[in-house]
PDB file of all heavy atoms in Angstrom:
ATOM      1  N   GLU A  19      -7.079  65.463-162.892  1.00  0.00           N
ATOM      2  CA  GLU A  19      -7.932  65.016-161.786  1.00  0.00           C
ATOM      3  C   GLU A  19      -9.028  64.075-162.261  1.00  0.00           C
ATOM      4  O   GLU A  19      -9.933  63.739-161.500  1.00  0.00           O
ATOM      5  CB  GLU A  19      -8.562  66.241-161.091  1.00  0.00           C
ATOM      6  CG  GLU A  19      -7.535  67.018-160.281  1.00  0.00           C
ATOM      7  CD  GLU A  19      -8.101  68.311-159.704  1.00  0.00           C
ATOM      8  OE1 GLU A  19      -8.700  69.093-160.467  1.00  0.00           O
ATOM      9  OE2 GLU A  19      -7.927  68.522-158.494  1.00  0.00           O
ATOM     10  N   CYS A  20      -8.963  63.668-163.526  1.00  0.00           N
ATOM     11  CA  CYS A  20     -10.012  62.832-164.103  1.00  0.00           C
ATOM     12  C   CYS A  20      -9.474  61.540-164.708  1.00  0.00           C
ATOM     13  O   CYS A  20      -9.659  61.285-165.908  1.00  0.00           O
ATOM     14  CB  CYS A  20     -10.785  63.622-165.167  1.00  0.00           C
ATOM     15  SG  CYS A  20     -11.772  64.964-164.492  1.00  0.00           S
ATOM     16  N   PRO A  21      -8.804  60.698-163.905  1.00  0.00           N
ATOM     17  CA  PRO A  21      -8.405  59.419-164.452  1.00  0.00           C
ATOM     18  C   PRO A  21      -9.657  58.638-164.889  1.00  0.00           C
ATOM     19  O   PRO A  21     -10.725  58.865-164.298  1.00  0.00           O
ATOM     20  CB  PRO A  21      -7.710  58.721-163.274  1.00  0.00           C
ATOM     21  CG  PRO A  21      -8.185  59.424-162.043  1.00  0.00           C
ATOM     22  CD  PRO A  21      -8.512  60.825-162.477  1.00  0.00           C
ATOM     23  N   PRO A  22      -9.632  57.795-165.912  1.00  0.00           N
ATOM     24  CA  PRO A  22      -8.434  57.291-166.576  1.00  0.00           C
ATOM     25  C   PRO A  22      -7.972  58.133-167.767  1.00  0.00           C
ATOM     26  O   PRO A  22      -7.233  57.631-168.606  1.00  0.00           O
ATOM     27  CB  PRO A  22      -8.893  55.910-167.060  1.00  0.00           C
ATOM     28  CG  PRO A  22     -10.342  56.128-167.418  1.00  0.00           C
ATOM     29  CD  PRO A  22     -10.843  57.129-166.409  1.00  0.00           C
ATOM     30  N   LEU A  23      -8.392  59.399-167.862  1.00  0.00           N
ATOM     31  CA  LEU A  23      -7.942  60.200-169.001  1.00  0.00           C
ATOM     32  C   LEU A  23      -6.421  60.286-169.019  1.00  0.00           C
ATOM     33  O   LEU A  23      -5.791  60.468-167.975  1.00  0.00           O
ATOM     34  CB  LEU A  23      -8.525  61.620-168.932  1.00  0.00           C
ATOM     35  CG  LEU A  23     -10.033  61.771-169.099  1.00  0.00           C
ATOM     36  CD1 LEU A  23     -10.418  63.239-169.064  1.00  0.00           C
ATOM     37  CD2 LEU A  23     -10.506  61.110-170.390  1.00  0.00           C
ATOM     38  N   SER A  54     -15.021  69.994-169.168  1.00  0.00           N
ATOM     39  CA  SER A  54     -14.550  70.349-170.503  1.00  0.00           C
ATOM     40  C   SER A  54     -14.822  69.205-171.470  1.00  0.00           C
ATOM     41  O   SER A  54     -14.830  68.037-171.086  1.00  0.00           O
ATOM     42  CB  SER A  54     -13.043  70.645-170.499  1.00  0.00           C
ATOM     43  OG  SER A  54     -12.330  69.466-170.197  1.00  0.00           O
ATOM     44  N   VAL A  69     -14.630  63.715-180.579  1.00  0.00           N
ATOM     45  CA  VAL A  69     -14.531  64.163-179.188  1.00  0.00           C
ATOM     46  C   VAL A  69     -13.274  63.533-178.591  1.00  0.00           C
ATOM     47  O   VAL A  69     -13.165  62.315-178.473  1.00  0.00           O
ATOM     48  CB  VAL A  69     -15.788  63.773-178.382  1.00  0.00           C
ATOM     49  CG1 VAL A  69     -15.587  64.093-176.909  1.00  0.00           C
ATOM     50  CG2 VAL A  69     -17.012  64.509-178.923  1.00  0.00           C
ATOM     51  N   TRP A  70     -12.351  64.397-178.272  1.00  0.00           N
ATOM     52  CA  TRP A  70     -11.036  63.972-177.815  1.00  0.00           C
ATOM     53  C   TRP A  70     -11.131  63.521-176.350  1.00  0.00           C
ATOM     54  O   TRP A  70     -10.825  62.392-176.014  1.00  0.00           O
ATOM     55  CB  TRP A  70     -10.090  65.159-177.976  1.00  0.00           C
ATOM     56  CG  TRP A  70      -8.643  64.944-177.768  1.00  0.00           C
ATOM     57  CD1 TRP A  70      -8.032  63.987-177.021  1.00  0.00           C
ATOM     58  CD2 TRP A  70      -7.597  65.740-178.339  1.00  0.00           C
ATOM     59  NE1 TRP A  70      -6.678  64.146-177.082  1.00  0.00           N
ATOM     60  CE2 TRP A  70      -6.382  65.209-177.879  1.00  0.00           C
ATOM     61  CE3 TRP A  70      -7.579  66.866-179.176  1.00  0.00           C
ATOM     62  CZ2 TRP A  70      -5.147  65.754-178.230  1.00  0.00           C
ATOM     63  CZ3 TRP A  70      -6.361  67.409-179.517  1.00  0.00           C
ATOM     64  CH2 TRP A  70      -5.158  66.849-179.058  1.00  0.00           C
ATOM     65  N   GLN A  71     -11.567  64.428-175.489  1.00  0.00           N
ATOM     66  CA  GLN A  71     -11.703  64.074-174.078  1.00  0.00           C
ATOM     67  C   GLN A  71     -12.908  64.793-173.466  1.00  0.00           C
ATOM     68  O   GLN A  71     -13.154  65.962-173.767  1.00  0.00           O
ATOM     69  CB  GLN A  71     -10.455  64.491-173.289  1.00  0.00           C
ATOM     70  CG  GLN A  71      -9.253  63.597-173.551  1.00  0.00           C
ATOM     71  CD  GLN A  71      -8.046  63.972-172.712  1.00  0.00           C
ATOM     72  OE1 GLN A  71      -7.793  65.135-172.434  1.00  0.00           O
ATOM     73  NE2 GLN A  71      -7.291  62.970-172.306  1.00  0.00           N
ATOM     74  N   VAL A  72     -13.601  64.073-172.611  1.00  0.00           N
ATOM     75  CA  VAL A  72     -14.650  64.679-171.783  1.00  0.00           C
ATOM     76  C   VAL A  72     -14.173  64.557-170.343  1.00  0.00           C
ATOM     77  O   VAL A  72     -13.827  63.458-169.900  1.00  0.00           O
ATOM     78  CB  VAL A  72     -15.992  63.935-171.927  1.00  0.00           C
ATOM     79  CG1 VAL A  72     -17.079  64.648-171.117  1.00  0.00           C
ATOM     80  CG2 VAL A  72     -16.414  63.821-173.392  1.00  0.00           C
ATOM     81  N   ALA A  73     -14.146  65.665-169.644  1.00  0.00           N
ATOM     82  CA  ALA A  73     -13.692  65.652-168.248  1.00  0.00           C
ATOM     83  C   ALA A  73     -14.678  66.430-167.386  1.00  0.00           C
ATOM     84  O   ALA A  73     -15.041  67.564-167.721  1.00  0.00           O
ATOM     85  CB  ALA A  73     -12.300  66.279-168.139  1.00  0.00           C
ATOM     86  N   VAL A  74     -15.128  65.812-166.314  1.00  0.00           N
ATOM     87  CA  VAL A  74     -15.960  66.509-165.329  1.00  0.00           C
ATOM     88  C   VAL A  74     -15.301  66.289-163.964  1.00  0.00           C
ATOM     89  O   VAL A  74     -15.001  65.145-163.582  1.00  0.00           O
ATOM     90  CB  VAL A  74     -17.414  65.976-165.336  1.00  0.00           C
ATOM     91  CG1 VAL A  74     -18.214  66.550-164.162  1.00  0.00           C
ATOM     92  CG2 VAL A  74     -18.108  66.328-166.657  1.00  0.00           C
ATOM     93  N   HIS A  75     -15.056  67.386-163.271  1.00  0.00           N
ATOM     94  CA  HIS A  75     -14.409  67.291-161.958  1.00  0.00           C
ATOM     95  C   HIS A  75     -15.269  66.398-161.049  1.00  0.00           C
ATOM     96  O   HIS A  75     -16.508  66.480-161.099  1.00  0.00           O
ATOM     97  CB  HIS A  75     -14.263  68.695-161.346  1.00  0.00           C
ATOM     98  CG  HIS A  75     -13.415  68.705-160.123  1.00  0.00           C
ATOM     99  ND1 HIS A  75     -13.939  68.478-158.855  1.00  0.00           N
ATOM    100  CD2 HIS A  75     -12.078  68.853-159.980  1.00  0.00           C
ATOM    101  CE1 HIS A  75     -12.947  68.529-157.983  1.00  0.00           C
ATOM    102  NE2 HIS A  75     -11.812  68.746-158.634  1.00  0.00           N
ATOM    103  N   PRO A  76     -14.618  65.562-160.217  1.00  0.00           N
ATOM    104  CA  PRO A  76     -15.382  64.662-159.339  1.00  0.00           C
ATOM    105  C   PRO A  76     -16.486  65.378-158.558  1.00  0.00           C
ATOM    106  O   PRO A  76     -17.555  64.800-158.325  1.00  0.00           O
ATOM    107  CB  PRO A  76     -14.313  64.078-158.401  1.00  0.00           C
ATOM    108  CG  PRO A  76     -13.046  64.126-159.215  1.00  0.00           C
ATOM    109  CD  PRO A  76     -13.160  65.326-160.117  1.00  0.00           C
ATOM    110  N   ALA A  78     -18.411  67.613-159.504  1.00  0.00           N
ATOM    111  CA  ALA A  78     -19.530  68.079-160.347  1.00  0.00           C
ATOM    112  C   ALA A  78     -20.174  66.929-161.126  1.00  0.00           C
ATOM    113  O   ALA A  78     -20.980  67.159-162.028  1.00  0.00           O
ATOM    114  CB  ALA A  78     -19.023  69.153-161.319  1.00  0.00           C
ATOM    115  N   ARG A  79     -19.837  65.701-160.768  1.00  0.00           N
ATOM    116  CA  ARG A  79     -20.350  64.549-161.528  1.00  0.00           C
ATOM    117  C   ARG A  79     -21.768  64.148-161.129  1.00  0.00           C
ATOM    118  O   ARG A  79     -22.245  64.519-160.064  1.00  0.00           O
ATOM    119  CB  ARG A  79     -19.404  63.352-161.346  1.00  0.00           C
ATOM    120  CG  ARG A  79     -18.111  63.583-162.073  1.00  0.00           C
ATOM    121  CD  ARG A  79     -17.194  62.371-162.019  1.00  0.00           C
ATOM    122  NE  ARG A  79     -15.889  62.790-162.555  1.00  0.00           N
ATOM    123  CZ  ARG A  79     -14.760  62.139-162.396  1.00  0.00           C
ATOM    124  NH1 ARG A  79     -14.750  60.992-161.739  1.00  0.00           N
ATOM    125  NH2 ARG A  79     -13.637  62.602-162.916  1.00  0.00           N
ATOM    126  N   GLY A  80     -22.394  63.405-162.010  1.00  0.00           N
ATOM    127  CA  GLY A  80     -23.702  62.838-161.707  1.00  0.00           C
ATOM    128  C   GLY A  80     -24.828  63.852-161.747  1.00  0.00           C
ATOM    129  O   GLY A  80     -25.906  63.621-161.211  1.00  0.00           O
ATOM    130  N   GLN A  81     -24.583  64.997-162.386  1.00  0.00           N
ATOM    131  CA  GLN A  81     -25.620  66.040-162.464  1.00  0.00           C
ATOM    132  C   GLN A  81     -25.959  66.381-163.903  1.00  0.00           C
ATOM    133  O   GLN A  81     -26.539  67.418-164.182  1.00  0.00           O
ATOM    134  CB  GLN A  81     -25.126  67.309-161.749  1.00  0.00           C
ATOM    135  CG  GLN A  81     -24.784  67.097-160.283  1.00  0.00           C
ATOM    136  CD  GLN A  81     -23.974  68.258-159.715  1.00  0.00           C
ATOM    137  OE1 GLN A  81     -24.272  69.424-159.976  1.00  0.00           O
ATOM    138  NE2 GLN A  81     -22.935  67.943-158.965  1.00  0.00           N
ATOM    139  N   GLY A  82     -25.515  65.528-164.820  1.00  0.00           N
ATOM    140  CA  GLY A  82     -25.820  65.770-166.226  1.00  0.00           C
ATOM    141  C   GLY A  82     -24.908  66.779-166.897  1.00  0.00           C
ATOM    142  O   GLY A  82     -25.203  67.236-168.000  1.00  0.00           O
ATOM    143  N   LEU A  83     -23.779  67.125-166.263  1.00  0.00           N
ATOM    144  CA  LEU A  83     -22.918  68.159-166.850  1.00  0.00           C
ATOM    145  C   LEU A  83     -22.280  67.692-168.160  1.00  0.00           C
ATOM    146  O   LEU A  83     -22.242  68.445-169.143  1.00  0.00           O
ATOM    147  CB  LEU A  83     -21.841  68.589-165.848  1.00  0.00           C
ATOM    148  CG  LEU A  83     -20.905  69.701-166.330  1.00  0.00           C
ATOM    149  CD1 LEU A  83     -21.672  70.938-166.775  1.00  0.00           C
ATOM    150  CD2 LEU A  83     -19.901  70.067-165.237  1.00  0.00           C
ATOM    151  N   ALA A  84     -21.796  66.457-168.202  1.00  0.00           N
ATOM    152  CA  ALA A  84     -21.169  65.970-169.433  1.00  0.00           C
ATOM    153  C   ALA A  84     -22.191  65.999-170.580  1.00  0.00           C
ATOM    154  O   ALA A  84     -21.889  66.474-171.682  1.00  0.00           O
ATOM    155  CB  ALA A  84     -20.627  64.554-169.237  1.00  0.00           C
ATOM    156  N   ARG A  85     -23.380  65.508-170.302  1.00  0.00           N
ATOM    157  CA  ARG A  85     -24.415  65.509-171.344  1.00  0.00           C
ATOM    158  C   ARG A  85     -24.750  66.933-171.779  1.00  0.00           C
ATOM    159  O   ARG A  85     -24.903  67.218-172.956  1.00  0.00           O
ATOM    160  CB  ARG A  85     -25.669  64.806-170.822  1.00  0.00           C
ATOM    161  CG  ARG A  85     -26.796  64.877-171.812  1.00  0.00           C
ATOM    162  CD  ARG A  85     -27.665  63.670-171.850  1.00  0.00           C
ATOM    163  NE  ARG A  85     -26.923  62.426-171.786  1.00  0.00           N
ATOM    164  CZ  ARG A  85     -27.404  61.305-171.284  1.00  0.00           C
ATOM    165  NH1 ARG A  85     -28.603  61.292-170.774  1.00  0.00           N
ATOM    166  NH2 ARG A  85     -26.705  60.207-171.289  1.00  0.00           N
ATOM    167  N   THR A  86     -24.866  67.847-170.823  1.00  0.00           N
ATOM    168  CA  THR A  86     -25.192  69.240-171.143  1.00  0.00           C
ATOM    169  C   THR A  86     -24.094  69.878-171.993  1.00  0.00           C
ATOM    170  O   THR A  86     -24.383  70.605-172.952  1.00  0.00           O
ATOM    171  CB  THR A  86     -25.392  70.054-169.840  1.00  0.00           C
ATOM    172  OG1 THR A  86     -26.437  69.447-169.098  1.00  0.00           O
ATOM    173  CG2 THR A  86     -25.755  71.494-170.127  1.00  0.00           C
ATOM    174  N   MET A  87     -22.843  69.603-171.658  1.00  0.00           N
ATOM    175  CA  MET A  87     -21.740  70.186-172.450  1.00  0.00           C
ATOM    176  C   MET A  87     -21.795  69.675-173.889  1.00  0.00           C
ATOM    177  O   MET A  87     -21.634  70.462-174.832  1.00  0.00           O
ATOM    178  CB  MET A  87     -20.387  69.855-171.816  1.00  0.00           C
ATOM    179  CG  MET A  87     -20.102  70.609-170.539  1.00  0.00           C
ATOM    180  SD  MET A  87     -18.373  70.458-170.013  1.00  0.00           S
ATOM    181  CE  MET A  87     -18.286  68.718-169.593  1.00  0.00           C
ATOM    182  N   THR A 105     -15.908  59.222-180.997  1.00  0.00           N
ATOM    183  CA  THR A 105     -15.018  59.299-179.847  1.00  0.00           C
ATOM    184  C   THR A 105     -14.394  57.930-179.666  1.00  0.00           C
ATOM    185  O   THR A 105     -14.763  56.982-180.376  1.00  0.00           O
ATOM    186  CB  THR A 105     -15.763  59.748-178.572  1.00  0.00           C
ATOM    187  OG1 THR A 105     -14.798  60.140-177.582  1.00  0.00           O
ATOM    188  CG2 THR A 105     -16.652  58.644-178.013  1.00  0.00           C
ATOM    189  N   SER A 106     -13.460  57.808-178.751  1.00  0.00           N
ATOM    190  CA  SER A 106     -12.976  56.468-178.433  1.00  0.00           C
ATOM    191  C   SER A 106     -13.121  56.255-176.934  1.00  0.00           C
ATOM    192  O   SER A 106     -12.949  57.194-176.146  1.00  0.00           O
ATOM    193  CB  SER A 106     -11.531  56.272-178.895  1.00  0.00           C
ATOM    194  OG  SER A 106     -10.643  56.907-178.021  1.00  0.00           O
ATOM    195  N   ILE A 107     -13.503  55.023-176.591  1.00  0.00           N
ATOM    196  CA  ILE A 107     -13.789  54.690-175.194  1.00  0.00           C
ATOM    197  C   ILE A 107     -13.138  53.349-174.871  1.00  0.00           C
ATOM    198  O   ILE A 107     -13.213  52.412-175.674  1.00  0.00           O
ATOM    199  CB  ILE A 107     -15.328  54.583-174.949  1.00  0.00           C
ATOM    200  CG1 ILE A 107     -16.067  55.826-175.456  1.00  0.00           C
ATOM    201  CG2 ILE A 107     -15.627  54.340-173.476  1.00  0.00           C
ATOM    202  CD1 ILE A 107     -17.599  55.766-175.289  1.00  0.00           C
ATOM    203  N   ASN A 111     -14.897  51.746-169.283  1.00  0.00           N
ATOM    204  CA  ASN A 111     -15.304  53.089-168.853  1.00  0.00           C
ATOM    205  C   ASN A 111     -16.825  53.234-168.933  1.00  0.00           C
ATOM    206  O   ASN A 111     -17.378  53.826-169.856  1.00  0.00           O
ATOM    207  CB  ASN A 111     -14.601  54.163-169.697  1.00  0.00           C
ATOM    208  CG  ASN A 111     -14.727  55.544-169.076  1.00  0.00           C
ATOM    209  OD1 ASN A 111     -15.675  55.813-168.339  1.00  0.00           O
ATOM    210  ND2 ASN A 111     -13.783  56.425-169.368  1.00  0.00           N
ATOM    211  N   GLU A 112     -17.477  52.681-167.906  1.00  0.00           N
ATOM    212  CA  GLU A 112     -18.944  52.598-167.886  1.00  0.00           C
ATOM    213  C   GLU A 112     -19.620  53.969-168.058  1.00  0.00           C
ATOM    214  O   GLU A 112     -20.569  54.119-168.825  1.00  0.00           O
ATOM    215  CB  GLU A 112     -19.370  51.957-166.549  1.00  0.00           C
ATOM    216  CG  GLU A 112     -20.846  51.637-166.416  1.00  0.00           C
ATOM    217  CD  GLU A 112     -21.343  50.629-167.440  1.00  0.00           C
ATOM    218  OE1 GLU A 112     -20.536  49.770-167.855  1.00  0.00           O
ATOM    219  OE2 GLU A 112     -22.523  50.713-167.834  1.00  0.00           O
ATOM    220  N   ALA A 113     -19.106  54.960-167.337  1.00  0.00           N
ATOM    221  CA  ALA A 113     -19.737  56.291-167.379  1.00  0.00           C
ATOM    222  C   ALA A 113     -19.682  56.858-168.800  1.00  0.00           C
ATOM    223  O   ALA A 113     -20.647  57.453-169.293  1.00  0.00           O
ATOM    224  CB  ALA A 113     -19.050  57.227-166.397  1.00  0.00           C
ATOM    225  N   SER A 114     -18.547  56.648-169.449  1.00  0.00           N
ATOM    226  CA  SER A 114     -18.394  57.176-170.794  1.00  0.00           C
ATOM    227  C   SER A 114     -19.315  56.447-171.781  1.00  0.00           C
ATOM    228  O   SER A 114     -19.937  57.077-172.656  1.00  0.00           O
ATOM    229  CB  SER A 114     -16.925  57.029-171.199  1.00  0.00           C
ATOM    230  OG  SER A 114     -16.619  57.893-172.238  1.00  0.00           O
ATOM    231  N   TRP A 115     -19.434  55.127-171.632  1.00  0.00           N
ATOM    232  CA  TRP A 115     -20.368  54.388-172.506  1.00  0.00           C
ATOM    233  C   TRP A 115     -21.787  54.893-172.312  1.00  0.00           C
ATOM    234  O   TRP A 115     -22.517  55.132-173.277  1.00  0.00           O
ATOM    235  CB  TRP A 115     -20.294  52.878-172.215  1.00  0.00           C
ATOM    236  CG  TRP A 115     -19.086  52.228-172.810  1.00  0.00           C
ATOM    237  CD1 TRP A 115     -17.975  51.801-172.138  1.00  0.00           C
ATOM    238  CD2 TRP A 115     -18.839  51.969-174.207  1.00  0.00           C
ATOM    239  NE1 TRP A 115     -17.054  51.290-173.031  1.00  0.00           N
ATOM    240  CE2 TRP A 115     -17.557  51.371-174.304  1.00  0.00           C
ATOM    241  CE3 TRP A 115     -19.560  52.179-175.378  1.00  0.00           C
ATOM    242  CZ2 TRP A 115     -16.991  50.987-175.519  1.00  0.00           C
ATOM    243  CZ3 TRP A 115     -19.001  51.798-176.587  1.00  0.00           C
ATOM    244  CH2 TRP A 115     -17.737  51.208-176.649  1.00  0.00           C
ATOM    245  N   ARG A 116     -22.170  55.067-171.056  1.00  0.00           N
ATOM    246  CA  ARG A 116     -23.534  55.532-170.771  1.00  0.00           C
ATOM    247  C   ARG A 116     -23.756  56.919-171.385  1.00  0.00           C
ATOM    248  O   ARG A 116     -24.826  57.221-171.926  1.00  0.00           O
ATOM    249  CB  ARG A 116     -23.771  55.594-169.257  1.00  0.00           C
ATOM    250  CG  ARG A 116     -23.854  54.230-168.587  1.00  0.00           C
ATOM    251  CD  ARG A 116     -25.232  53.593-168.751  1.00  0.00           C
ATOM    252  NE  ARG A 116     -26.256  54.366-168.059  1.00  0.00           N
ATOM    253  CZ  ARG A 116     -26.575  54.197-166.781  1.00  0.00           C
ATOM    254  NH1 ARG A 116     -25.949  53.315-166.044  1.00  0.00           N
ATOM    255  NH2 ARG A 116     -27.538  54.924-166.236  1.00  0.00           N
ATOM    256  N   LEU A 117     -22.735  57.762-171.290  1.00  0.00           N
ATOM    257  CA  LEU A 117     -22.849  59.117-171.830  1.00  0.00           C
ATOM    258  C   LEU A 117     -23.132  59.075-173.337  1.00  0.00           C
ATOM    259  O   LEU A 117     -24.047  59.752-173.830  1.00  0.00           O
ATOM    260  CB  LEU A 117     -21.554  59.884-171.544  1.00  0.00           C
ATOM    261  CG  LEU A 117     -21.421  61.272-172.153  1.00  0.00           C
ATOM    262  CD1 LEU A 117     -22.487  62.207-171.567  1.00  0.00           C
ATOM    263  CD2 LEU A 117     -20.019  61.852-171.899  1.00  0.00           C
ATOM    264  N   PHE A 118     -22.372  58.275-174.076  1.00  0.00           N
ATOM    265  CA  PHE A 118     -22.539  58.275-175.536  1.00  0.00           C
ATOM    266  C   PHE A 118     -23.743  57.445-175.987  1.00  0.00           C
ATOM    267  O   PHE A 118     -24.363  57.765-177.006  1.00  0.00           O
ATOM    268  CB  PHE A 118     -21.228  57.878-176.218  1.00  0.00           C
ATOM    269  CG  PHE A 118     -20.277  59.041-176.259  1.00  0.00           C
ATOM    270  CD1 PHE A 118     -19.365  59.260-175.232  1.00  0.00           C
ATOM    271  CD2 PHE A 118     -20.360  59.991-177.275  1.00  0.00           C
ATOM    272  CE1 PHE A 118     -18.533  60.370-175.230  1.00  0.00           C
ATOM    273  CE2 PHE A 118     -19.533  61.107-177.280  1.00  0.00           C
ATOM    274  CZ  PHE A 118     -18.616  61.297-176.255  1.00  0.00           C
ATOM    275  N   GLY A 120     -26.488  57.427-174.305  1.00  0.00           N
ATOM    276  CA  GLY A 120     -27.555  58.399-174.064  1.00  0.00           C
ATOM    277  C   GLY A 120     -27.574  59.484-175.134  1.00  0.00           C
ATOM    278  O   GLY A 120     -28.633  59.916-175.584  1.00  0.00           O
TER     279      GLY A 120
HETATM  280  C1  COA B   9     -17.470  60.319-167.846  1.00  0.00           C
HETATM  281  C2  COA B   9     -17.784  61.658-167.183  1.00  0.00           C
HETATM  282  C3  COA B   9     -17.334  62.750-168.125  1.00  0.00           C
HETATM  283  C4  COA B   9     -19.305  61.755-166.924  1.00  0.00           C
HETATM  284  O1  COA B   9     -19.586  63.058-166.413  1.00  0.00           O
HETATM  285  P1  COA B   9     -20.978  63.397-165.680  1.00  0.00           P
HETATM  286  O2  COA B   9     -21.226  64.852-165.783  1.00  0.00           O
HETATM  287  O3  COA B   9     -20.965  62.811-164.310  1.00  0.00           O
HETATM  288  O4  COA B   9     -22.010  62.586-166.595  1.00  0.00           O
HETATM  289  P2  COA B   9     -23.577  62.850-166.708  1.00  0.00           P
HETATM  290  O5  COA B   9     -24.117  63.216-165.353  1.00  0.00           O
HETATM  291  O6  COA B   9     -23.851  63.782-167.842  1.00  0.00           O
HETATM  292  O7  COA B   9     -24.118  61.391-167.034  1.00  0.00           O
HETATM  293  C5  COA B   9     -24.059  60.861-168.339  1.00  0.00           C
HETATM  294  C6  COA B   9     -24.466  59.399-168.265  1.00  0.00           C
HETATM  295  O8  COA B   9     -23.429  58.633-167.633  1.00  0.00           O
HETATM  296  C7  COA B   9     -23.949  57.926-166.518  1.00  0.00           C
HETATM  297  N1  COA B   9     -22.916  57.901-165.505  1.00  0.00           N
HETATM  298  C8  COA B   9     -22.268  58.975-164.968  1.00  0.00           C
HETATM  299  N2  COA B   9     -21.337  58.541-164.078  1.00  0.00           N
HETATM  300  C9  COA B   9     -21.421  57.183-164.067  1.00  0.00           C
HETATM  301  C10 COA B   9     -20.707  56.159-163.380  1.00  0.00           C
HETATM  302  N3  COA B   9     -19.718  56.459-162.517  1.00  0.00           N
HETATM  303  N4  COA B   9     -21.022  54.875-163.654  1.00  0.00           N
HETATM  304  C11 COA B   9     -21.991  54.553-164.533  1.00  0.00           C
HETATM  305  N5  COA B   9     -22.698  55.486-165.238  1.00  0.00           N
HETATM  306  C12 COA B   9     -22.412  56.779-164.989  1.00  0.00           C
HETATM  307  C13 COA B   9     -25.160  58.715-166.074  1.00  0.00           C
HETATM  308  O9  COA B   9     -26.060  57.924-165.344  1.00  0.00           O
HETATM  309  C14 COA B   9     -25.711  59.149-167.416  1.00  0.00           C
HETATM  310  O10 COA B   9     -26.373  58.075-168.043  1.00  0.00           O
HETATM  311  P3  COA B   9     -27.971  57.965-168.039  1.00  0.00           P
HETATM  312  O11 COA B   9     -28.499  59.216-168.691  1.00  0.00           O
HETATM  313  O12 COA B   9     -28.208  56.735-168.838  1.00  0.00           O
HETATM  314  O13 COA B   9     -28.380  57.874-166.625  1.00  0.00           O
HETATM  315  C15 COA B   9     -17.060  61.800-165.811  1.00  0.00           C
HETATM  316  O14 COA B   9     -17.393  60.677-165.011  1.00  0.00           O
HETATM  317  C16 COA B   9     -15.551  61.884-165.926  1.00  0.00           C
HETATM  318  O15 COA B   9     -14.996  62.966-166.096  1.00  0.00           O
HETATM  319  N6  COA B   9     -14.885  60.728-165.803  1.00  0.00           N
HETATM  320  C17 COA B   9     -13.421  60.664-165.885  1.00  0.00           C
HETATM  321  C18 COA B   9     -12.906  60.986-167.280  1.00  0.00           C
HETATM  322  C19 COA B   9     -13.513  60.102-168.338  1.00  0.00           C
HETATM  323  O16 COA B   9     -13.552  58.883-168.232  1.00  0.00           O
HETATM  324  N7  COA B   9     -14.002  60.744-169.419  1.00  0.00           N
HETATM  325  C20 COA B   9     -14.664  60.073-170.509  1.00  0.00           C
HETATM  326  C21 COA B   9     -13.724  59.584-171.514  1.00  0.00           C
HETATM  327  S1  COA B   9     -13.567  60.669-172.914  1.00  0.00           S
END
Side-chain angles (χ1 to χ4, degrees):
E19 288 174 309
C20 292
L23 293 182
S54 66
V69 173
W70 189 335
Q71 286 183 325
V72 183
V74 171
H75 190 272
R79 289 185 189 163
Q81 301 165 43
L83 182 55
R85 175 145 318 152
T86 301
M87 288 192 293
T105 195
S106 77
I107 308 178
N111 194 334
E112 187 62 30
S114 200
W115 283 106
R116 290 279 295 273
L117 174 64
F118 281 91

